[in-house]
Amino acid sequence: MSAVGYPFALAPVAAIGLLAVAFRPVAAGTTAGLRLALVRAALVTGAYAVLTVELLGVLRLLTPPAFAVAWLLLLAAAVAGFGWRRRRDAERRAAGIVVARRAVEVVAAPEPALVGATAGPAAGPPAPPPAPVAAARRGASPHAAGWPTRLADAWRTAGRGERLLAGTVGGLLLVELLIALLAEPNNFDSQTYHLPKVEHWVARGGLDFWPTAIHRQVTIPPGAEYLLLHLRLFTGGDALHNLVQWAAGVGVLLAVTRITAQLGGGRRAQLLTAFVLATTPMVALQATSTQTDLVCAAWVACAGTLALDGLRRRAGLGAALALGAATGLTALTKTSGLAAVGPLLLLWGLAQLRLARTGSAPDRPGPPGRGTDASRTGGGPSRWQVRRTVAGSALILLVAVVVVGPFLARVTAEFGHPLGPPRLRESIPMERHDPPSLLVNTLRIAHTAFDTPLAPLRRAGAGAIIGGAGLIGVDPQDRATTFGRERFPVPSWYPDEDRVAFPLAGALAAIGAAAALARPGRVSPTRAGPLRAYAVVVVAALLLHTAMIKWQPWGNRLLLYALALAVPLAGLWLDALFRRRAGGAGGRRPVAAGLAVSVLATCALAGVLAVSYGFPRRLVGAGSVFTTAEWETRFLRRPQWAEEFRWAADAVRATGARRIGLVQQNDNWEYPWWLLLRDADGRPPELVALQSVLPGRPPADPASVDAVVCTGSRPACAALAPAGWLVQFRGYVGYALPPGS
């Protein structure tokens, strides 16, 4: 569809905007209602995008026209919802104006006892009318101000520090958007399996698994790639692929700042939360990438803010559906995110049962004629309310299964297990769970996450962990707790999207969690209980992560969802620190506040350096998005391969070959072949694997192909090429052609 389809790439944005109006909360006292509406709209749009892929995949209609029809249907529904909500709001405003005008008449009418009295000089000016009355006199609703007006008011009333925080976050987002639009996808994993799986779906028109030597193309959950598929079909390429993670970064900021507000944080606390997260180099770098960690973090943060709503109000049908969508989308993107969603759902369920016991008012009234909980049970738990909570929990799981179930069903049918083949189940998840092994794994993950440029500190910390592991009888390089053949420790401080550590944000979050657990009333006087409960959930998520996931050099990006959940604790603690300093407290507090300001300044510097010099997409220096050619940008990870791929592809294309065999290993780059071997009109090539790690999917017969392209191993290429074919190899890349080609 290419140029014609580009307008359809804006359909998700339009749908979220329209649905945000339709889903705007009406309950009085809703915290950050606009952000809640955007969260709801994003979940509906994300779930719709996923289910569209699943349904059209079954029908083998993964085509631009089919997707265009699907998005037109959603936009039509969103427009209808938008119009319905505007009419309802207008009716409410009209009713409110009538009530307020009656109040005006009451206020304006003279009291009988004062008729004929004269006002003396000491009477003073009349008191201003209440806000609803003043609004009615103007003929407007007291709640008519829209978000642009509220935003302008917030900026006008903000202090210098708050404006600096907001300006830094906004500036980083704009720069990241620029990089995301200018840079071609060049993430290593994306070249190996994220983007090739999208191309396979487009070429095949369906979601059935295919023979491949790279098992991650079919076994790793494809939630983020489903979103990329929509853009791929509409634009005919990958020019907008980086925007999925950028949009996820914006979504994370909206959700975590709302979490901060739900835990009692004011405007400054919310800005501090956004600032700490936005300046984290891992976030800044992934926001311009085709990785999937920010997408996972966004869905987890959505689950977090929805779960916190359930601490104060009994959930209705909409809340359960939204939580189910967040759970399913997390599972379909990265199953590790369930380490956080699980505790969040447990907290939500316990809170709902507590509210049922105390008879708190639900979002919607109960069955007619039953009365309130308190009237029926004397304040005790109502069987109907308990059943309602259980039914809500079941609905959450049902919606999650609807979202992730089709993929799990395909994996189970292919490998006999919903978690995939044994090589996947044994490579990433922990294989030992004895306390000493768990302790060592936790310490190694923490060491990598908190790494700094100070090499002596890194060596000392690693030495202490290795020595301590020996004392308790644990091998720190045990394959049962260590991914692949990697060896602990590794440097992870430098700004690389796959490895960069987050010592500043992590330290602030850890301090905030400790304060929330020990003295929540000092951090958030009005939400001490929910704050402590939330901190327990964050700690539980981190412990579950370290108990489930082996240490690996690039494990920091796998922790991104947990960092996003923890950052509100940092924002709340920093705000409390500055609040106590402003209150005139003496002693060490001014010193602590000064240190906190220094840390925040360092955070800003780290964020700016990440977008300026980060790897493999940067603004300045070697590899800049402004000075590096498109093809070279794709190969910044491996510059020496750029010409090798082009050399082999040119030789194959010169023969007119259509059916081309692939010879590659599990971590080789496949995506360049899809770019180089497609037709001039954008039609994908017919690439078939000559090796397969899927037992039920045999590889193609080498005799059935017109040419062979290879990566990694010349012996493997020579072994699989038909007899008599000429094999050429240059470094990492090779090809094989029939005689006389």
Side-chain angles (χ1 to χ4, degrees), residues 8 195-196 362 453 670:
F8 281 97
L195 301 186
E670 180 182 314

Side-chain angles (χ1 to χ4, degrees), residues 546-573:
T546 58
M548 293 166 47
I549 307 296
K550 293 178 178 178
W551 175 87
Q552 48 194 284
W554 43 89
N556 289 341
R557 64 180 180 81
L558 304 183
L559 274 171
L560 196 52
Y561 73 91
L563 177 68
L565 274 190
V567 163
L569 302 175
L572 288 163
W573 174 76

Side-chain angles (χ1 to χ4, degrees), residues 448-547:
T448 304
F450 287 86
D451 191 21
T452 70
L454 304 175
L457 182 61
R458 180 189 314 118
R459 288 193 294 267
I465 293 172
I466 293 172
L471 291 176
I472 60 177
V474 175
D475 178 6
Q477 315 299 346
D478 186 358
R479 297 303 102 191
T481 62
T482 306
F483 181 86
R485 299 179 181 179
E486 306 298 330
R487 294 188 63 81
F488 172 83
V490 296
S492 60
W493 61 267
Y494 52 92
D496 184 296
E497 66 173 354
D498 286 337
R499 299 194 179 202
V500 62
F502 34 82
L504 298 175
L508 291 173
I511 295 172
L517 291 171
R519 307 185 74 175
R522 297 191 65 180
V523 177
S524 180
T526 62
R527 298 285 190 274
L531 175 61
R532 177 175 278 167
Y534 183 79
V536 169
V537 166
V538 170
V539 172
L542 287 168
L543 292 177
L544 283 173
H545 182 97
T546 58

Side-chain angles (χ1 to χ4, degrees), residues 202-466:
V202 173
R204 301 169 66 85
L207 299 175
D208 293 339
F209 292 162
W210 54 90
T212 178
I214 303 173
H215 75 86
R216 291 176 293 173
Q217 291 182 359
V218 296
T219 58
I220 298 294
E225 291 89 339
Y226 279 0
L227 305 181
L228 293 177
L229 176 62
H230 292 262
L231 297 178
R232 167 65 177 85
L233 288 172
F234 288 145
T235 65
D238 57 19
L240 301 182
H241 278 10
N242 293 330
L243 294 185
V244 171
Q245 282 261 107
W246 182 84
V250 174
V252 169
L253 292 176
L254 292 173
V256 298
T257 53
R258 183 171 189 266
I259 289 173
T260 305
Q262 291 171 288
L263 296 175
R267 182 170 62 191
R268 182 174 60 186
Q270 296 171 51
L271 286 172
L272 285 166
T273 297
F275 179 87
V276 172
L277 187 61
T279 57
T280 301
M282 178 67 77
V283 175
L285 290 169
Q286 287 234 359
T288 63
S289 169
T290 46
Q291 265 292 5
T292 61
D293 304 285
L294 263 182
V295 178
C296 175
W299 301 135
V300 170
C302 288
T305 191
L306 293 171
L308 284 179
D309 279 338
L311 269 61
R312 302 182 63 193
R313 188 188 303 273
R314 287 210 304 277
L317 176 63
L321 291 173
L323 270 172
T327 303
L329 289 169
T330 299
L332 189 63
T333 304
K334 270 188 180 297
T335 52
S336 56
L338 295 177
V341 174
L344 285 169
L345 292 180
L346 179 60
L347 175 65
W348 177 89
L350 293 175
Q352 291 293 294
L353 290 174
R354 179 183 62 82
L355 292 173
R357 186 181 69 247
T358 58
S360 299
D363 282 347
R364 296 182 180 179
R370 294 191 178 223
T372 64
D373 288 342
S375 66
R376 294 194 307 274
T377 66
S382 153
R383 286 195 299 272
W384 180 79
Q385 289 297 339
V386 172
R387 289 198 297 268
R388 185 172 181 265
T389 301
V390 173
S393 302
L395 180 60
I396 291 171
L397 296 179
L398 176 61
V399 173
V401 168
V402 169
V403 173
V404 72
F407 169 71
L408 293 181
R410 288 194 297 274
V411 173
T412 303
E414 191 72 34
F415 301 104
H417 196 287
L419 298 181
R423 65 184 301 172
L424 177 63
R425 302 198 303 270
E426 296 168 1
S427 61
I428 298 176
M430 286 279 286
E431 298 178 77
R432 290 184 58 177
H433 296 90
D434 55 286
S437 295
L438 294 178
L439 174 62
V440 172
N441 194 54
T442 300
L443 292 175
R444 291 184 303 169
I445 290 175
H447 180 274
T448 304
F450 287 86
D451 191 21
T452 70
L454 304 175
L457 182 61
R458 180 189 314 118
R459 288 193 294 267
I465 293 172
I466 293 172

Side-chain angles (χ1 to χ4, degrees), residues 89-162:
D89 289 347
E91 292 169 1
R92 290 192 183 95
R93 285 196 296 271
I97 290 173
V98 170
V99 172
R101 282 177 175 168
R102 290 175 180 172
V104 170
E105 295 171 0
V106 172
V107 172
E111 295 187 22
L114 299 179
V115 173
T118 57
V133 176
R137 287 176 175 171
R138 296 191 304 268
S141 167
H143 304 292
W147 67 265
T149 301
R150 295 197 300 271
L151 187 61
D153 290 342
W155 182 261
R156 187 176 60 256
T157 58
R160 183 186 307 171
E162 291 175 341

